[in-house]
C-alpha cells in the first residue's frame, strides 16, 4: 500500500513544519480567495439590483408641469367645473410613473398604465386582465399615505421637448381621457379632490383622486 507523501514527510518535524505547513497555507489561501470572490459576486448582484430600482423621491413641480396643471384647470373652468387641489401624494405617484415608463418602456402587449417590476410597487401589465385596473388604481396607497384609488391619463410622444398644450390637446381629442378631465360619462359622478401631474422624457401623466390628500396640499403658481 502506497503512502501519501504528505503523511510520510509529516512524520519528520522538519518536513512537517515546511512541507505540510505550506500545503495547509496554500489551501487556506485558496479558500480565502474563493470566499472573497463569492462575496464580491453577491455585492455586485446586489448593487445591480439596487441600481435598477426607480427613484421614488418627490421633487418640486417644474415649469412644464405647472403649466399643464394650470391649463387643465382653465379647461375645467370653461366647463363650469371646480379647481382640483394639487396633491403631493399623487404628484409623487405621477413622478414615479414617468420615471418608470421612460426607463422601462412597456411591451407591445401592455399599455402606458403599466408598471415594471423595478420598483417598490406591485408590477402590472395594463391590458384586458380584470385585475390590471385595480393594480393601477392602488398605486397611491402603495407609494404614499393616500389610501384612496388613483386614476391616470397618460401621454407619450417621440419629442421630449413636448409642451403642456400638446399633451392637453391630445387628451381633449381622446374621448376616454377627456371624460376623466371634465367628469363626463362614466366619470360624471366622480368628485375629484386631488390631482398629481408629472412630465419627464417622452411622457406626461396626470393622476386624479376622489379623496382629499392627508398630506398638506402643494401651492401652485398660476
Amino acid at each position: 500500500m502506497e503512502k501519501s507523501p504528505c503523511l510520510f514527510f509529516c512524520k519528520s518535524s522538519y518536513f512537517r513544519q515546511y512541507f505540510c505547513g505550506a500545503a495547509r497555507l496554500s489551501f487556506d489561501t485558496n479558500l480565502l480567495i474563493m470566499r472573497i470572490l463569492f462575496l464580491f459576486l453577491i455585492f455586485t448582484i446586489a448593487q445591480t439590483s439596487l441600481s435598477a430600482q426607480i427613484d421614488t423621491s418627490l421633487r418640486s413641480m417644474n415649469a412644464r408641469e405647472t403649466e399643464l396643471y394650470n391649463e387643465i384647470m382653465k379647461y375645467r373652468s370653461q366647463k363650469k367645473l371646480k379647481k382640483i387641489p394639487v396633491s403631493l401624494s399623487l404628484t409623487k405617484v405621477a413622478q414615479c410613473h414617468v420615471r418608470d415608463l421612460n426607463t422601462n418602456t412597456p411591451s407591445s402587449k401592455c399599455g402606458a398604465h403599466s408598471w415594471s417590476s423595478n420598483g417598490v410597487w406591485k408590477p402590472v401589465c395594463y391590458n384586458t386582465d380584470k385585475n390590471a385596473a385595480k393594480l393601477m388604481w392602488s398605486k397611491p396607497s402603495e407609494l404614499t399615505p393616500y389610501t384612496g384609488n388613483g386614476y391616470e391619463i397618460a401621454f407619450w410622444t417621440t419629442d421630449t421637448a413636448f409642451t403642456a398644450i400638446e399633451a392637453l390637446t391630445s387628451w381633449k381629442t381622446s374621448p376616454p381621457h377627456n371624460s376623466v378631465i371634465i367628469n363626463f360619462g362614466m366619470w360624471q359622478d366622480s368628485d375629484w379632490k386631488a390631482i398629481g401631474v408629472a412630465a419627464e422624457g417622452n411622457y406626461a401623466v396626470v393622476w386624479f383622486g376622489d379623496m382629499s390628500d392627508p398630506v398638506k396640499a402643494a401651492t401652485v403658481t398660476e
Side-chain angles (χ1 to χ4, degrees), residues 101-161:
L101 288 170
N102 281 297
T103 305
N104 305 289
T105 304
S107 65
S108 57
K109 67 177 182 178
C110 303
H113 301 307
S114 301
W115 292 68
S116 77
S117 58
N118 297 321
V120 295
W121 50 74
K122 296 176 183 177
V124 54
C125 172
Y126 195 86
N127 50 26
T128 56
D129 188 327
K130 63 180 181 180
N131 293 318
K134 293 180 180 179
L135 284 172
M136 186 267 279
W137 298 340
S138 66
K139 287 299 171 281
S141 61
E142 292 177 32
L143 292 166
T144 72
Y146 192 94
T147 57
N149 286 337
Y151 307 96
E152 180 190 51
I153 58 174
F155 168 80
W156 174 86
T157 177
T158 57
D159 182 10
T160 58

Side-chain angles (χ1 to χ4, degrees), residues 38-48:
F38 177 75
L39 291 174
F40 177 76
L41 179 62
I42 294 298
F43 177 78
T44 301
I45 293 174
Q47 285 294 100
T48 302

Side-chain angles (χ1 to χ4, degrees), residues 44-106:
T44 301
I45 293 174
Q47 285 294 100
T48 302
S49 176
L50 289 174
S51 63
Q53 296 294 297
I54 300 300
D55 177 18
T56 58
S57 62
L58 173 65
R59 58 166 174 75
S60 299
M61 291 175 64
N62 59 39
R64 180 169 54 177
E65 292 162 345
T66 300
E67 181 184 2
L68 180 54
Y69 167 77
N70 287 329
E71 288 299 325
I72 291 174
M73 293 307 108
K74 289 179 183 178
Y75 180 46
R76 283 178 57 84
S77 178
Q78 293 169 6
K79 302 294 182 180
K80 308 301 181 183
L81 297 169
K82 67 179 182 180
K83 188 174 182 178
I84 310 171
V86 172
S87 158
L88 291 180
S89 295
L90 295 188
T91 297
K92 177 178 179 177
V93 175
Q95 290 178 8
C96 289
H97 199 203
V98 290
R99 292 168 192 157
D100 187 39
L101 288 170
N102 281 297
T103 305
N104 305 289
T105 304

